[in-house]
């Protein structure tokens, strides 16, 4: 609390930036250890978590007072007018401190107390069991086994302890390959498709210089290929753009094989597998831009959204200029290629980017979602995130800026994944057990640091921080509120497709207003069809009970 | 033409030609106010060829005055009542542009007519759908705008709604962009933006909101006109009524609105919807004015999904029939032409078909809950959307969307069923209890 000089300021105005009548609400602003709270004259409360604050700005003094603009990571923007400059300055400084924590232990998760006992807390953490998930997929089996090579994080610190590899891959092969891959992230199983006996594997880029080759790595890829009895060849999907200026989009119809010019690419200095050394491998580049491009793209999008008096022209040219939807489509196209490779060609696919924890996570998890209806259930989705994002070391704390770290590591990679899922729910409204509110709530909590799931950057770090003993898991919290997140139109039995085949012609991608303007009430339909149908569904259940009671 | 040969295969329960007669519509107002009257001055279409035979004018103004005013307004379209706002007695009137010309001509009867709608000491607004410079240039051709000196009680506001070939080109560009089916996101967004379609929608909706605000929030009457008063004027008056009046959002109310504000008001359908909407040959008067109106209604419908008795299908159906139809409703450019063509006798009315219960069920919105609200749409670009039901209709699969809609309808109907069952059971239970009660007491 030592950062807080002023805990309460009265007569503060909250501006509504989209209101046509320039209305503002007057109320009192409170500063607590964890939140900023504004209570207006109608007793309506607006809570803002300090962790959510991305940017605080003090604007030039005006006749009505001192403007304070707060932009949050969940895309809420609030515009306060504080009557006295001194108060404004105090709040501004306090918020600057409170929104940037130096150590993990200062994060909300370590002080959040939902009044549960230790066994309840532990049970919450055990709700999602990845070993169960691998079993459900059908591993271990005759072709795939659990490896103990990384049992103590000796081979790769950012991978989980439990890794599945081809049965014929011996430990020396694994160790050799890990030395040849960036950050030791050698190829491992992400998803196993039982019917097709094909696998999605993931890794990082090979550290190939101009002439380096690694026999163990080649053997590991061979092993992956052999672990698929149905097909002689496998794909290696490099999710990075081939050139800096040119990206490659896989079209829906073209599941083709791109045989890359190994010499040209090696000369370019990037880490690509040299095709000459890897037989039976087909290479596919699906150009998804890097984290810096994505960060900048989102920034531009938010600038467009925040423009006052935005014209239709400026909105669409702003959207085009930001390139955000283009990136979303690139991720989606990559996932579609992945799904098609497995379903149509029965081929296994190895996915990598540079470090194998950003674009690789996006493509593997989205691809699995297209293939497996389980991941479209509420539980299944939680499992998917735990597996392909959390356990495989997506650097949540750095990407979300939980601590006052390197701003260049911040990037909306997971946000993009959630948006891709949202686009799928729009094209296939009955295929998902969960609704948009579920996605928004998860997004809320990757930034809130209220729960331990997304704190830290890899499993090893989370164990070191003792998160399971000191913090709570998000998943039971969401499951308790399940009724809010259920899709009333979900049909688990009827002709909904098992494998989703989205259409990615450009006009299918819309601007996700409910995410990027979540808190700008005036922009949205005043009556939410979804909420009405959800309530009706609930009502129906209640009415059914009533009927039964009355009949007896 | 087809409508003259079409013989309906269904039983005509209600003759749509007589569903929305002006006298009946006027009844709805005359109960609330005595300041207005029906005038038959145009019954031979001699005073204004594009007006219907019966119009609503201020009681204080006689037919002779109307004849004079008609000479001062473009196309003879003197100011008439479009809408009466029961809440506060304010009105929307519409007309053609005043023919002030370069000489600053004035017409005392015109001034008297519109001033008759003002309460003592109150001001009105004139919404000119043309930008100021366009209105000024119109003087060179004999047209113009109401000058402050002659209309001191009226404040003029200029808007910027496009017309004619600009709209047609906008539509053509949009359709081409939609048919492109490109995988290049930048190309799609840039073509969508270049078509300017949604910009037009925004401008029309903004003007309609402005008109509605004048009536509902400012408590002032308004006069709306553009150049001829047959295009942007009608878009604004009809949309303003959708915003202000819940009746316009019912199926019959909406049909009546189209009859009044588009068909009888003389929107030249024959000229504007001559060819198919996707035709490239440059017809001079071809313009998707009505489609823009329907799209604007759709935007509001999407923002207030429970406030409309009809659904998107009705709007799509009207769009189709405006261009090509087996019914006579949209034939001709105004009532005069329709009379000459003897459409009432020789063709079937669209409304006869639509209002049959079996058809109505397709157009009814299952989420509708009647309310008395004035509904204010958001016109921010983020709130407006491409009308996929029209523009992407043949370019994308709607299978999953249709199934989801069916499921939604099922949930709502099941809900109604259960509610009814519960009510019956509750009543039975109550009856049983009273019987028991009666049996127990000696």
């Amino acid at each position: 609390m030592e950062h807080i000089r002023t805990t309460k300021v009265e007569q503060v105005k909250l501006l509504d930036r989209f209101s046509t009548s320039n209305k503002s609400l007057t109320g009192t602003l409170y500063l607590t250890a964890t939140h900023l709270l504004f209570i207006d004259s109608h007793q309506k409360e607006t809570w803002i978590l300090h962790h959510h604050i991305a940017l605080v700005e003090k604007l030039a003094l005006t006749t009505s007072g001192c403007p304070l603009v707060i932009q949050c990571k969940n895309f809420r923007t609030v515009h306060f007018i504080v009557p006295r400059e001194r108060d404004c300055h105090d709040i501004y400084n306090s918020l600057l401190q409170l929104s940037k924590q130096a150590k993990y232990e200062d994060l909300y998760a370590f002080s959040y107390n939902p009044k549960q006992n230790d066994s309840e807390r532990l049970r919450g953490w055990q709700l999602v069991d990845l070993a169960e998930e691998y079993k459900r997929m059908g591993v271990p089996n005759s072709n795939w086994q659990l490896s103990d090579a990384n049992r103590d994080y000796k081979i790769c610190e950012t991978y989980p302890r439990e890794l599945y590899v081809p049965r014929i891959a011996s430990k020396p092969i694994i160790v050799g390959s890990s030395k040849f891959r960036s950050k030791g992230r050698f190829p491992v199983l992400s998803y196993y498709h039982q019917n097709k006996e094909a696998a999605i594997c993931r890794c990082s880029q090979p550290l190939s210089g101009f002439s380096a080759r690694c026999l163990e790595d080649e053997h590991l890829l061979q092993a992956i290929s052999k672990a698929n009895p149905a097909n002689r060849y496998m794909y290696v999907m490099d999710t990075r753009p081939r050139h800096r200026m040119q990206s490659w989009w896989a079209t829906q119809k073209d599941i083709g094989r791109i045989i890359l010019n190994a010499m040209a690419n090696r000369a370019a200095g990037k880490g690509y597998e040299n095709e000459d050394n890897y037989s039976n491998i087909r290479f596919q580049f699906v150009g998804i831009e890097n984290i810096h491009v994505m960060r900048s793209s989102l920034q531009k999008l938010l600038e467009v959204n925040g423009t006052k008096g935005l014209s239709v022209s400026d909105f669409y040219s702003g959207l085009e200029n930001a390139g955000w939807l283009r990136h979303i489509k690139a991720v989606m196209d990559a996932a579609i290629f992945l799904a098609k490779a497995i379903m149509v060609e029965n081929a296994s696919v190895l996915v990598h980017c540079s470090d194998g924890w950003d674009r690789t996570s996006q493509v593997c998890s989205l691809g699995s979602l297209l293939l497996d209806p389980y991941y479209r259930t509420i539980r299944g989705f939680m499992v998917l995130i735990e597996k392909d994002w959390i356990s495989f070391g997506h650097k949540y704390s750095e990407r979300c800026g939980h601590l006052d770290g390197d701003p260049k590591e911040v990037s909306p990679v997971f946000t993009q994944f959630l948006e891709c899922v949202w686009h799928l729910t729009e094209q296939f409204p009955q295929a998902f057990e969960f609704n948009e509110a579920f996605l928004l709530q998860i997004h809320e909590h990757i930034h809130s640091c209220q729960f331990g799931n997304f704190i830290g950057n890899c499993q090893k770090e989370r164990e070191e921080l003792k998160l399971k003993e000191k913090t709570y898991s998000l998943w039971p919290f969401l499951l308790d509120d399940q009724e809010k997140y259920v899709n009333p139109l979900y049909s688990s039995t009827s002709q909904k497709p098992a494998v989703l085949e989205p259409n990615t012609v450009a006009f299918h991608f819309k601007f996700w207003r409910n995410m990027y303007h979540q808190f700008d009430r005036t922009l949205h339909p005043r009556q939410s069809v979804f909420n009405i149908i959800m309530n009706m569904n609930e009502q129906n259940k209640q009415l059914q009970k009533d009927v039964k009671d009355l009949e007896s | 033409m087809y409508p003259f040969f079409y013989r309906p295969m269904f039983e005509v329960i209600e003759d749509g030609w007589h569903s929305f007669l002006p006298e009946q519509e006027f009844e709805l107002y005359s109960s609330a106010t005595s300041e207005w009257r029906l005038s038959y001055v145009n019954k031979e279409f001699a005073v204004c060829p594009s007006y219907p035979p019966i119009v609503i004018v201020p009681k204080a103004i006689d037919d002779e005055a109307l004849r004079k005013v008609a000479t001062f307004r473009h196309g003879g379209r003197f100011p008439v009542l479009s809408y009466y706002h029961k809440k506060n007695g304010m009105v929307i009137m519409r007309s053609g542009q005043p023919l002030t010309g370069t000489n600053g001509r004035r017409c005392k009867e015109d001034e008297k007519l519109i001033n008759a709608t003002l309460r003592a000491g109150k001001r009105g607004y004139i919404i000119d759908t043309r930008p100021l410079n366009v209105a000024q240039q119109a003087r060179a051709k004999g047209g113009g705008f109401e000058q402050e000196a002659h209309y001191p009680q009226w404040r003029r506001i200029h808007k910027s709604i496009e017309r004619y070939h600009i709209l047609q080109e906008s539509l053509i560009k949009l359709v081409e962009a939609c048919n492109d089916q490109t995988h290049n996101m930048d190309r799609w967004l840039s073509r969508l933006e270049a078509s300017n379609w949604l910009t037009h929608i925004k401008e029309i909706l903004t003007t309609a909101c402005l008109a509605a605000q004048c009536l509902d929030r400012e408590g002032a009457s308004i006069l709306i006109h553009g150049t001829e008063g047959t295009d942007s004027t009608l878009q604004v008056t009809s949309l303003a009524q959708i915003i202000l009046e819940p009746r316009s959002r019912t199926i019959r109310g909406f049909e009546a609105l189209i009859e009044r504000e588009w068909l009888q008001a003389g929107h030249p359908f024959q000229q504007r919807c001559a060819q198919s909407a996707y035709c490239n040959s440059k017809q001079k008067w071809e313009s998707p004015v009505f489609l823009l109106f329907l799209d604007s209604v759709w935007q509001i419908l999407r923002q207030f999904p429970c406030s409309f008795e009809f659904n998107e299908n009705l709007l799509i159906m009207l769009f189709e029939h405006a261009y090509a139809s087996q019914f006579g409703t949209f034939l001709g450019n105004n009532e005069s032409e329709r009379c000459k063509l003897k459409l009432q006798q020789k063709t079937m009315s669209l409304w006869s078909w639509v209002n049959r219960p079996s058809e109505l069920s397709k157009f009814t919105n299952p989420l509708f809950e009647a309310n008395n609200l004035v509904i204010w749409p958001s016109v921010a670009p983020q709130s407006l959307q491409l009308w996929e039901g029209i523009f992407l209709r043949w370019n994308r699969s709607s299978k999953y969307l249709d199934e989801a809609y069916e499921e939604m309808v099922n949930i709502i109907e099941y809900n109604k069923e259960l509610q009814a069952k519960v009510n019956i059971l509750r009543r039975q239970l109550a009856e049983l209890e009273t019987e028991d009660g009666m049996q127990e007491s000696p």
Side-chain angles (χ1 to χ4, degrees):
Chain A
M1 289 289 277
E2 68 271 13
H3 302 302
I4 305 177
R5 299 266 293 278
T6 314
T7 53
K8 174 176 164 181
V9 181
E10 290 175 340
Q11 295 302 312
V12 173
K13 286 209 195 74
L14 172 63
L15 298 184
D16 178 356
R17 58 186 179 145
F18 287 104
S19 163
T20 42
S21 50
N22 278 326
K23 262 201 313 237
S24 67
L25 293 164
T26 309
T28 310
L29 198 59
Y30 297 89
L31 216 52
T32 74
T34 52
H35 289 82
L36 185 64
L37 168 64
F38 178 76
I39 305 185
D40 69 22
S41 42
H42 306 293
Q43 300 308 310
K44 173 159 163 264
E45 298 179 356
T46 305
W47 290 82
I48 299 175
L49 199 53
H50 294 319
H51 290 318
H52 272 158
I53 297 176
L55 201 64
V56 197
E57 262 185 289
K58 238 173 45 158
L59 301 180
L61 194 58
T62 68
T63 46
S64 43
C66 190
L68 189 67
V69 179
I70 302 172
Q71 285 176 32
C72 298
K73 296 172 186 173
N74 56 4
F75 310 118
R76 182 203 289 264
T77 302
V78 283
H79 197 132
F80 289 119
I81 308 258
V82 184
R84 291 203 327 234
E85 214 270 332
R86 235 266 307 274
D87 289 331
C88 186
H89 194 74
D90 285 345
I91 303 232
Y92 171 73
N93 280 326
S94 306
L95 287 179
L96 276 184
Q97 301 283 0
L98 290 164
S99 60
K100 287 186 166 51
Q101 302 300 332
K103 13 195 247 300
Y104 285 117
E105 285 76 9
D106 289 333
L107 294 177
Y108 188 18
F110 290 91
S111 54
Y112 169 63
N113 181 8
K115 311 256 189 321
Q116 286 179 358
N117 62 41
D118 281 343
S119 64
E120 279 174 313
R121 185 215 309 256
L122 191 60
R123 247 191 319 209
W125 280 107
Q126 289 164 343
L127 210 59
V128 171
D129 182 347
L130 289 182
E132 281 300 312
E133 170 58 15
Y134 284 107
K135 221 189 277 174
R136 183 196 71 87
M137 279 192 234
V139 292
N141 59 32
S142 52
N143 290 318
W144 294 88
Q145 68 178 10
L146 178 62
S147 165
D148 63 356
N150 204 40
R151 176 74 54 74
D152 301 314
Y153 300 113
K154 289 242 172 59
I155 305 225
C156 174
E157 290 197 334
T158 56
Y159 264 175
R161 290 181 197 274
E162 295 77 31
L163 293 168
Y164 287 80
V165 296
R167 204 169 270 281
I168 59 176
S170 64
K171 188 143 173 205
I173 285 186
I174 292 173
V175 173
S177 170
S178 77
K179 295 206 168 87
F180 187 62
R181 293 281 171 175
S182 169
K183 310 272 192 316
R185 292 170 71 87
F186 62 95
V188 294
L189 179 76
S190 160
Y191 177 72
Y192 180 70
H193 194 289
Q194 262 187 340
N195 287 349
K196 300 282 177 179
E197 295 185 281
I200 302 177
C201 295
R202 56 185 294 173
C203 62
S204 59
Q205 67 179 326
L207 298 172
S208 47
F210 204 83
S211 58
R213 70 183 281 189
C214 170
L215 285 174
E216 289 90 350
D217 191 76
E218 292 163 31
H219 283 149
L220 184 50
L221 262 62
Q222 281 294 325
I224 292 175
S225 188
K226 290 211 179 99
N228 180 350
N231 197 314
R232 271 185 304 116
Y233 61 86
M234 66 178 271
Y235 280 100
V236 170
M237 269 181 80
D238 190 324
T239 59
R240 300 167 295 180
R242 202 149 30 140
H243 312 281
R244 196 66 200 85
M245 297 306 288
Q246 202 183 28
S247 293
W248 173 274
W249 297 285
T251 64
Q252 211 187 338
K253 295 195 172 79
D254 176 19
I255 55 171
R257 296 102 48 188
I258 315 306
I259 311 302
L260 51 75
N261 183 333
M263 296 302 284
N265 286 298
R266 277 188 298 142
K270 287 198 167 185
Y272 302 134
E273 292 85 354
N274 185 341
E275 191 215 338
D276 298 334
N277 299 332
Y278 295 83
S279 52
N280 283 337
I281 306 285
R282 297 185 184 185
F283 289 87
Q284 178 79 1
F285 278 86
V286 288
I288 304 173
E289 299 286 352
N290 63 40
I291 58 168
H292 308 294
V293 173
M294 300 309 191
R295 182 179 55 247
S296 156
S297 175
L298 180 63
Q299 191 52 42
K300 290 195 192 131
L301 180 68
L302 295 177
E303 272 164 24
V304 173
N305 290 347
T307 309
K308 213 164 176 221
L310 187 64
S311 74
V312 172
S313 265
D314 288 341
F315 176 63
Y316 283 103
S317 48
L319 258 185
E320 183 192 338
N321 193 31
W324 182 255
L325 289 177
R326 177 164 32 98
H327 301 314
I328 297 287
K329 175 175 155 59
V331 175
M332 188 76 89
D333 282 333
I336 291 172
F337 178 86
L338 179 56
K340 277 233 163 91
I342 297 213
M343 290 311 293
V344 176
E345 293 182 76
N346 293 2
S348 291
V349 186
L350 173 65
V351 184
H352 75 78
C353 47
S354 305
D355 292 322
W357 49 43
D358 291 308
R359 290 166 279 191
T360 303
S361 297
Q362 287 175 327
V363 176
C364 289
S365 54
L366 200 61
S368 307
L369 190 103
L370 292 176
L371 290 168
D372 193 334
Y374 174 64
Y375 296 131
R376 295 176 228 141
T377 64
I378 292 180
R379 279 242 173 186
F381 195 64
M382 294 175 179
V383 168
L384 185 67
I385 296 178
E386 274 286 342
K387 177 168 66 77
D388 273 304
W389 290 86
I390 297 177
S391 85
F392 274 109
H394 174 71
K395 300 197 290 180
Y396 277 105
S397 279
E398 288 191 34
R399 293 287 176 265
C400 302
H402 290 161
L403 301 181
D404 192 12
D406 183 0
K408 289 218 157 52
E409 289 291 315
V410 174
S411 189
V413 177
F414 188 70
T415 310
Q416 283 183 330
F417 164 69
L418 291 177
E419 178 162 344
C420 287
V421 178
W422 175 73
H423 284 289
L424 290 173
T425 65
E426 289 281 293
Q427 274 199 39
F428 304 97
Q430 292 191 275
F432 290 80
E433 191 190 21
F434 52 82
N435 61 21
E436 183 184 53
F438 187 59
L439 298 173
L440 293 174
Q441 186 71 339
I442 293 177
H443 186 257
E444 183 83 1
H445 284 297
I446 60 167
H447 293 294
S448 76
C449 303
Q450 187 177 341
F451 300 93
N453 313 64
F454 305 106
I455 295 184
N457 295 306
C458 60
Q459 209 177 47
K460 178 166 187 274
E461 209 178 346
R462 288 183 194 106
E463 288 173 7
E464 283 165 3
L465 289 169
K466 294 202 172 32
L467 290 177
K468 294 210 169 143
E469 290 103 79
K470 296 187 180 172
T471 68
Y472 294 85
S473 167
L474 171 64
W475 308 130
F477 181 77
L478 290 180
L479 283 174
D480 278 344
D481 265 341
Q482 238 181 113
E483 333 77 56
K484 282 197 226 155
Y485 306 123
V486 163
N487 170 14
L489 302 176
Y490 177 57
S491 73
S492 59
T493 47
S494 79
Q495 326 97 329
K496 66 143 179 54
V499 176
L500 297 185
E501 291 178 60
N503 188 331
T504 58
V505 165
F507 54 62
H508 283 103
F509 293 90
K510 293 182 283 224
F511 170 67
W512 193 5
R513 192 189 49 231
N514 281 348
M515 167 69 101
Y516 302 107
H517 286 289
Q518 198 181 358
F519 302 96
D520 297 318
R521 298 275 88 218
T522 46
L523 289 187
H524 303 291
R526 297 328 154 66
Q527 296 149 336
S528 161
V529 175
F530 234 110
N531 285 344
I532 292 169
I533 301 297
M534 261 171 60
N535 290 335
M536 231 179 240
N537 228 10
E538 281 306 303
Q539 217 185 30
N540 285 355
K541 293 190 194 126
Q542 183 58 43
L543 287 171
Q544 274 177 318
K545 266 195 230 134
D546 287 349
V547 168
K548 277 214 182 81
D549 290 339
L550 287 170
E551 275 174 347
S552 60
Chain B
M1 296 199 78
Y2 186 30
F4 291 96
F5 300 103
Y6 174 72
R7 295 282 170 268
M9 305 290 265
F10 55 85
E11 184 202 337
V12 178
I13 303 171
E14 178 199 345
D15 183 2
W17 289 116
H18 299 125
S19 298
F20 307 107
L21 295 172
E23 288 97 335
Q24 293 163 350
E25 296 294 305
F26 182 61
E27 294 267 309
L28 299 168
Y29 295 149
S30 56
S31 53
T33 171
S34 55
E35 289 165 26
W36 296 84
R37 69 177 182 91
L38 288 170
S39 166
Y40 296 81
V41 71
N42 197 40
K43 70 176 186 297
E44 308 291 323
F45 306 105
V47 177
C48 172
S50 60
Y51 267 176
I54 309 172
V55 289
I56 306 175
V57 293
K59 203 167 238 170
I61 309 293
D62 62 32
D63 283 359
E64 264 318 298
L66 292 177
R67 279 183 230 273
K68 295 216 181 80
V69 179
T71 61
F72 182 63
R73 290 280 174 179
H74 191 124
R77 293 173 72 86
F78 53 91
V80 294
L81 179 74
S82 166
Y83 169 69
Y84 176 85
H85 196 38
K86 290 211 177 102
K87 193 164 117 181
N88 55 16
M90 295 296 119
V91 298
I92 300 180
M93 284 188 301
R94 50 173 162 77
S95 68
Q97 66 173 331
L99 300 173
T100 46
T102 42
N103 288 333
R105 185 177 153 214
R106 70 187 288 190
C107 171
K108 294 256 171 67
E109 286 80 4
D110 185 273
E111 294 158 35
K112 196 159 164 242
L113 197 168
I114 65 173
N115 287 336
T117 67
L118 294 176
R119 301 274 159 78
K122 297 210 70 177
R123 274 203 317 194
Y125 290 91
I126 297 178
I127 300 181
D128 189 329
T129 61
R130 308 163 294 180
L132 178 58
N133 61 328
V134 173
Q136 284 167 336
Q137 282 159 23
R139 286 182 296 197
K141 295 202 197 123
F145 52 90
E146 294 82 352
Q147 287 165 297
E148 294 82 349
H150 303 151
Y151 297 85
Q153 289 166 281
W154 294 83
R155 247 190 80 197
R156 226 173 52 242
I157 305 177
H158 287 273
K159 297 301 289 176
S160 179
I161 301 181
E162 293 290 357
R163 307 177 309 155
Y164 305 140
H165 67 277
I166 293 187
L167 298 181
Q168 185 67 6
E169 271 157 26
S170 177
L171 175 64
I172 290 173
K173 282 195 189 140
L174 177 60
V175 169
E176 278 174 0
C178 291
N179 287 338
D180 193 348
Q181 305 235 39
T182 178
H183 275 273
N184 184 324
M185 187 65 69
D186 288 357
R187 189 172 149 85
W188 158 247
L189 288 172
S190 115
R191 291 187 78 174
L192 179 62
E193 186 256 314
S195 77
N196 261 336
W197 183 260
L198 290 169
T199 303
H200 301 313
I201 298 277
K202 182 178 201 289
E203 189 62 22
I204 294 168
L205 276 173
T206 307
T207 310
C209 284
L210 172 66
Q213 270 170 0
C214 289
L215 254 75
D216 194 70
R217 296 239 177 102
E218 297 266 329
S221 287
I222 60 176
L223 169 68
I224 304 181
H225 71 76
T227 304
E228 293 159 353
T230 54
D231 296 282
S232 53
T233 304
L234 303 179
Q235 288 171 328
V236 178
T237 59
S238 46
L239 274 173
Q241 291 178 55
I242 298 269
I243 292 172
L244 291 166
E245 195 198 34
R247 182 187 171 235
S248 305
R249 297 175 229 139
T250 63
I251 293 184
R252 286 197 83 88
F254 189 64
E255 292 171 356
L257 180 72
I258 306 242
E259 267 289 335
R260 275 194 329 267
E261 296 300 316
W262 288 88
L263 293 165
Q264 288 169 15
H267 175 71
F269 277 98
Q270 197 75 32
Q271 283 181 350
R272 297 285 179 268
C273 308
Q275 313 267 0
S276 102
Y278 303 84
C279 169
N280 265 16
S281 79
K282 307 275 173 141
Q283 295 278 323
K284 191 171 173 205
W285 304 116
E286 178 91 27
S287 191
V289 177
F290 189 56
L291 177 59
L292 275 164
F293 161 69
L294 293 174
D295 193 330
S296 304
V297 176
W298 179 79
Q299 302 287 343
I300 306 181
L301 169 55
R302 227 178 22 89
Q303 293 192 25
F304 295 90
C306 303
S307 296
F308 287 77
E309 195 187 17
F310 53 87
N311 61 19
E312 178 185 48
N313 296 332
L314 184 79
L315 298 173
I316 297 179
M317 184 272 301
L318 286 171
F319 160 66
E320 289 178 327
H321 283 270
Y323 280 88
S325 176
Q326 63 267 50
F327 303 102
T329 303
F330 286 97
L331 288 180
N333 288 310
N334 47 54
E335 288 300 292
S336 172
E337 287 185 18
R338 290 182 194 114
C339 273
K340 291 206 187 91
L341 291 168
K342 295 205 178 28
L343 292 182
Q344 272 196 32
Q345 293 77 19
K346 295 187 175 175
T347 70
M348 179 112 282
S349 160
L350 175 65
W351 312 128
S352 310
W353 171 71
V354 171
N355 288 331
R356 290 159 52 240
S358 52
E359 292 304 315
L360 275 182
S361 56
K362 287 189 219 145
F363 303 122
T364 309
N365 174 13
L367 292 164
F368 176 56
E369 271 169 31
N371 65 43
N372 277 335
L373 301 172
V374 173
I375 56 178
W376 302 102
S378 160
V379 296
Q382 297 94 323
S383 304
L384 302 176
Q385 253 180 258
L386 177 67
W387 189 3
E388 298 192 2
I390 290 272
F391 296 109
L392 297 179
R393 201 168 171 196
W394 314 112
N395 296 339
R396 54 132 207 209
S397 159
S398 61
K399 171 171 174 236
Y400 298 117
L401 300 172
D402 292 340
E403 284 173 11
Y405 184 78
E406 279 305 310
E407 178 67 17
M408 185 183 80
V409 172
N410 288 343
I411 292 177
I412 297 175
E413 293 192 345
Y414 189 44
N415 183 272
K416 292 203 179 101
E417 228 180 81
L418 286 174
Q419 296 232 18
K421 228 190 216 167
V422 166
N423 287 339
I424 293 177
L425 288 171
R426 285 223 173 98
R427 240 179 295 136
Q428 285 179 353
L429 193 61
E431 280 168 23
L432 286 172
E433 280 172 355
T434 49
E435 278 176 24
D436 291 341
M438 277 163 39
Q439 281 173 4
E440 278 173 12
S441 54

